[in-house]
Amino acid sequence: MSNILEIKHLRKTFGTNEVLKDINFSVSKGEVVCIIGASGSGKSTLLRCINLLEYPTSGEILYHGQNILELNVSNAVYRAKMGMVFQQFNLFNNLTVLDNCVVGQVKVLKRDKKTARKIAMEYLDLVGMSQFINAKPHQISGGQKQRVAIARALSMEPEALLFDEPTSALDPEMVGEVLKVMKNLAQSGLTMLVVTHEMGFARDVANRVVFMDEGVIVEEDVPEVIFNNPRNERTRTFLKRILEKE
Amino acid sequence: MSADASFFQWVAFIWEQNWPLFLRGAGNTILIALTGTIIGFLIGIVIGIIRTIPVDHNTSLLKRIILKIADVLLLCYIEVFRGTPMMVQAMVIFYGIAMIYGIHLNPIPAGIVIVSINTGAYMAEIVRGGILSIDKGQFEAAHAIGMTHAQTMSSIILPQAIRNILPATSNEFVINIKDTCVLSVISISELFFNSKSAAGANFRYFETFLITCIIYLIMTFTITRILRWFEKKLDGPSVYTIHGSQTVPEAEIRIVDGGKLHV
């Protein structure tokens, strides 16, 4: 399997606060990787570094072997290849559901409007939102917004999709509809990197689970090992605390 | 007009005698205020955009320096024109240009220039505030799909920011309609200036300026209504259509805000 993404010695500091300390890991094509860990462990920052929403303090991010932190690599082209789904959805408030999925294709990928609309419709259909193309973001529910956000990211036909706690801002009854869409995507072979607190999702869908604590990757393995037989004490404590609540 | 004529007879008389003067004055007031507000708005947009250009690790040193210089110059412009009365600016610009360059500007174009740069200074800060008020997530989402800063601004941020600053802009417009009266100091024949001429002919200041007052009020009231209507239009329909239902694919269901269903 070829690595889409390889991260080497990644560090990120905010002032004197070292949020990520020497992160090394890789993602290969078709893989679904879930990143779990307590709040403040650096998982969201890691994801945001991968998409360059935060600029790493040091280290390398290799995309198909090329370091994207070098100046001659266009951030825009790379970002278009790495879709991102946010905790707060961040749909463009001034655009309709359909235009949310069209604008990036037209502006970044330079597709013509008709093709862009067709592609957008395909993905809106996939997430079950094709009936709502005329609605504005404020007119639909949180779960619907997140599904549109997923369709927006998919419309760019990215190589991998990054999810930053996609269900954390949702009402409990809406979590299911979003997770279902994500599960279907995982089964379709999309490369996904998911920061999540949904342990059930991680266990059922992930090929690999990464546990982070205090800015380092403590343990990574297949979900069976992480959830049933974690080697590290910190992983065990975290999972015990989380799973007791569930 | 006899000396014992009633108040209302005087008002009617002054209007009959001077209505072309009043209307011409009102016309000039609207012309200067409208043009000045539009140009000032555009100045404000440009400055607001320049002053919110992000500087990050990738920004080249040259760009940083240019931005810094531009920022200082623009800040000077904003401070000077916000910090001095428009009446004084009118005197300085109008007589200053005449003295230094020997150019005698036509009063009305001069008035438009003064109102424009004055409004621009206020609008620059209003626009900047409008841009800063947009949720950071909107920028991040646009950047995350690969849009450049320019694309993000033009497609996502400015449409929202401009909608948000429309109330402040109509405020500026109303202020401009009223404040053009200070331009009478450079003999622009706007409404206040013409009212003074009318009053000078009959020495009935109260009756004359009551008419002036009503004309100003009609202008500002009309303008605010029009801009309010425009805001509503920009908000788009509060109704949207769902295309097809699970049982009837060609059905169209109209959803009104607040969840009322109209099939």
Side-chain angles (χ1 to χ4, degrees), chain A residues 34 198-207 209 223-224 227-228 243 246:
Chain A
C34 281
E198 295 290 332
M199 295 304 149
F201 179 81
R203 198 196 318 239
D204 296 346
V205 180
N207 304 113
V209 176
E224 292 76 30
F227 288 106
N228 302 334
L243 296 176
E246 285 181 0

Side-chain angles (χ1 to χ4, degrees), chain A residues 165-215:
Chain A
E165 303 193 24
T167 57
S168 299
L170 293 175
D171 291 337
E173 71 264 35
M174 291 173 181
V175 171
E177 60 185 82
V178 172
L179 288 181
K180 205 175 111 201
V181 167
M182 288 171 63
K183 209 175 257 185
N184 288 340
L185 287 177
Q187 278 156 5
S188 75
L190 183 75
T191 312
M192 291 162 63
L193 194 51
V194 187
V195 168
T196 187
H197 291 289
E198 295 290 332
M199 295 304 149
F201 179 81
R203 198 196 318 239
D204 296 346
V205 180
N207 304 113
R208 184 150 55 97
V209 176
V210 173
F211 172 68
M212 282 183 71
D213 192 31
E214 293 180 352

Side-chain angles (χ1 to χ4, degrees), chain A residues 48 51 53 55 71 75-76 79-80 82 84 86 90-95 103-104 107-108 110 130-136 138-140 152 156, chain B residues 57-58 135-138 140-148 151 154-156 159-160 234-246 257:
Chain A
R48 291 168 61 81
N51 202 285
L53 288 172
Y55 204 78
L71 276 176
N75 289 353
R79 278 167 156 170
M82 290 283 147
M84 180 98 173
F86 297 87
N90 295 346
L91 289 184
F92 303 133
N93 293 325
N94 57 323
L95 301 177
V103 67
K107 300 278 172 190
V108 181
K110 311 291 176 200
S130 57
Q131 296 180 325
F132 293 87
I133 50 173
N134 288 326
K136 285 281 185 76
H138 69 89
Q139 292 167 320
I140 56 179
R152 173 176 68 181
M156 301 297 287
Chain B
H57 57 94
N58 272 335
D135 180 33
K136 219 175 135 225
Q138 299 281 307
E140 290 188 345
H143 290 161
I145 56 175
M147 288 167 86
T148 61
Q151 289 169 335
S154 65
S155 308
I156 310 298
Q160 296 182 50
L234 274 191
D235 287 343
S238 59
V239 177
Y240 65 96
T241 310
I242 293 182
H243 295 278
S245 74
Q246 278 162 359
D257 276 0

Side-chain angles (χ1 to χ4, degrees), chain A residues 116-127:
Chain A
R117 283 215 184 98
K118 210 175 131 246
I119 293 169
M121 283 304 290
E122 272 170 36
Y123 288 110
L124 282 167
D125 211 29
L126 188 73
V127 299

Side-chain angles (χ1 to χ4, degrees), chain B residues 219-232:
Chain B
M219 289 197 289
T220 52
F221 187 77
T222 315
I223 293 300
T224 43
R225 291 305 101 181
I226 291 173
L227 286 170
R228 187 75 198 96
W229 170 82
F230 184 60
E231 276 175 37
K232 281 213 174 117

Side-chain angles (χ1 to χ4, degrees), chain B residues 185-203:
Chain B
V185 295
I186 55 169
S187 355
I188 293 177
S189 52
E190 42 69 56
L191 182 55
F192 179 78
F193 186 84
N194 283 6
S195 305
K196 268 205 310 192
S197 311
N202 53 41
F203 297 105

